[in-house]
Amino acid sequence: MRKIHHIEEIDFQDDMMIIQIDGKKHRFRIDEISRRLAAASRIEREKYEISPSGYGIHWPLIDEDLAIDGLLGIRHTPSKLRDKVSA
């Protein structure tokens, strides 16, 4: 399986989530990325699963999923549209 992102570390400090992705640390305000995470307890936030491909993170205790590309603002163009644009 091809790994999309390498997620090395996730930490929560006050109202911030600090995550190391592909060797670089990123900081996100929790209330800006997820209402469920913002309302979650410390225990609920710290219980997460990283997808084997590195595509996303799942918090089973609050049934929340975040895609890494979404967090980083990476947008994908459907292949049909991409083919039309490059023609």
Side-chain angles (χ1 to χ4, degrees):
M1 175 181 291
R2 185 176 150 255
K3 215 160 176 64
I4 297 170
H5 294 286
H6 183 67
I7 302 166
E8 300 169 42
E9 178 183 342
I10 301 173
D11 190 26
F12 293 93
Q13 295 176 0
D14 301 319
D15 61 347
M16 301 296 290
M17 178 173 75
I18 298 100
I19 180 170
Q20 188 161 337
I21 305 167
D22 302 328
K24 184 176 178 186
K25 282 199 176 190
H26 299 269
R27 298 172 62 85
F28 302 96
R29 287 187 49 88
I30 297 168
D31 61 353
E32 292 178 359
I33 59 171
S34 168
R35 283 187 264 162
R36 288 183 181 176
L37 275 176
S41 69
R42 181 184 58 79
I43 292 170
E44 291 170 325
R45 288 178 183 173
E46 291 178 355
K47 174 72 173 159
Y48 59 83
E49 302 163 352
I50 299 170
S51 68
S53 67
Y55 180 78
I57 309 163
H58 175 67
W59 284 265
L61 299 178
I62 58 171
D63 193 27
E64 179 68 309
D65 296 282
L66 294 178
I68 300 303
D69 284 358
L71 286 173
L72 298 178
I74 298 170
R75 297 177 61 113
H76 297 275
T77 305
S79 59
K80 287 184 180 185
L81 179 60
R82 188 173 39 238
D83 293 343
K84 287 181 183 180
V85 170
S86 61

